[in-house]
Amino acid sequence: METETRPTGLRNPWLHLAISVICVAIYELLLKRGAAETANPNSSWSWTGLTGLGSIYVWIAIVFVIVSLITWLYVLRYLPLSVAFPVSQSVHVLVPLGSWLILGENIVTLRWIGIALVSLGLAIVAKPVARLEEEL
Amino acid sequence: MTVVALVIVLVALVAHTAGQIFLKHAMASSNNETGFRSRAVAIPFAIGIVLMTTQFFLVLGLLQRYDLSFIYPFQGLGVIIITLTAGITLREKLSLQLMIGSLLISFGVVLVSMT
């Protein structure tokens, strides 16, 4: 599945993975704002999420979704899904950290433990891949 | 959490997993000569995009009712589910190290979201 040689520099798939992850973090925060703005549990359409399109935040989020998707597709071309996806989940460290920094949300001890576990898991997943890259 | 919410969460999780598998399959079949014109790329790509779009709106609908932190435990489970599914359906090599790392990330994301 990995017959193509991996490009370096600006075309490095790891760079694109980082861009994709940052875009996901931004759009998840925007989506929550947009969803909060358009929340109306009485509407029979609300389970489809389509009512969210009434918020400008959701539309800006969609732009970030598209950028994250394009960079993600590029990533998928070069990296196995079983490696790229766990690494992409570092977004779940970025979102609470972003909420903590920007929105001033509290992070409880258990959440810090979760953040530590994700970071540790990331190091374990990424380490053999990084070694493999060096050998290439 | 109501039964409807649980069903929607599960459908979103399945759509996300399947969507990722289809997109990876499409991109793995693509090359510089044929690109997206080849049917082997275009069909799984289209299915993948439809599944990802479905997942996007279902999650948006859930976000209208629940906290940002409510959806994430299930996305956390998605890590280990997608890693395993990629190993089974795409025959990607799953090392012990990869499995341990994915499990830690899964568990960590669940913890982060539940608190």
Side-chain angles (χ1 to χ4, degrees), chain A residues 33-104:
Chain A
R33 285 212 158 180
E37 208 177 64
T38 53
N40 176 13
N42 299 323
S43 156
S44 53
W45 280 90
S46 68
W47 283 115
T48 64
L50 289 171
T51 51
L53 291 173
S55 164
I56 182 73
Y57 287 114
V58 171
W59 286 98
I60 302 170
I62 288 174
V63 174
F64 281 95
V65 170
I66 293 169
V67 176
S68 76
L69 184 72
I70 292 169
T71 46
W72 179 245
L73 289 173
Y74 183 79
V75 169
L76 286 185
R77 211 171 142 180
Y78 297 100
L79 302 179
L81 183 61
S82 53
V83 171
F85 192 76
V87 173
S88 75
Q89 294 309 295
S90 55
V91 68
H92 295 292
V93 176
L94 290 179
V95 170
L97 284 179
S99 317
W100 179 59
L101 285 170
I102 301 162
L103 305 175

Side-chain angles (χ1 to χ4, degrees), chain B residues 18-98:
Chain B
Q20 291 287 0
I21 298 291
F22 274 104
L23 288 182
K24 171 65 195 178
H25 180 66
M27 295 318 286
S29 319
S30 76
N31 58 54
N32 288 328
E33 287 135 50
T34 52
F36 286 88
R37 277 167 294 167
S38 134
R39 291 185 98 187
V41 177
I43 294 172
F45 180 78
I47 298 173
I49 293 292
V50 168
L51 287 168
M52 295 300 278
T53 309
T54 309
Q55 187 262 154
F56 174 87
F57 282 106
L58 289 179
V59 169
L60 185 56
L62 287 168
L63 281 176
Q64 289 179 336
R65 286 156 196 263
Y66 304 99
D67 273 344
L68 184 66
S69 50
F70 172 80
I71 322 294
Y72 290 172
F74 302 97
Q75 294 202 340
L77 292 176
V79 175
I80 195 68
I81 292 172
I82 287 177
T83 302
L84 281 174
T85 317
I88 296 163
T89 61
L90 303 171
R91 297 199 182 87
E92 287 185 3
K93 212 177 118 222
L94 301 179
S95 65
L96 183 64
Q97 216 171 346
L98 182 64

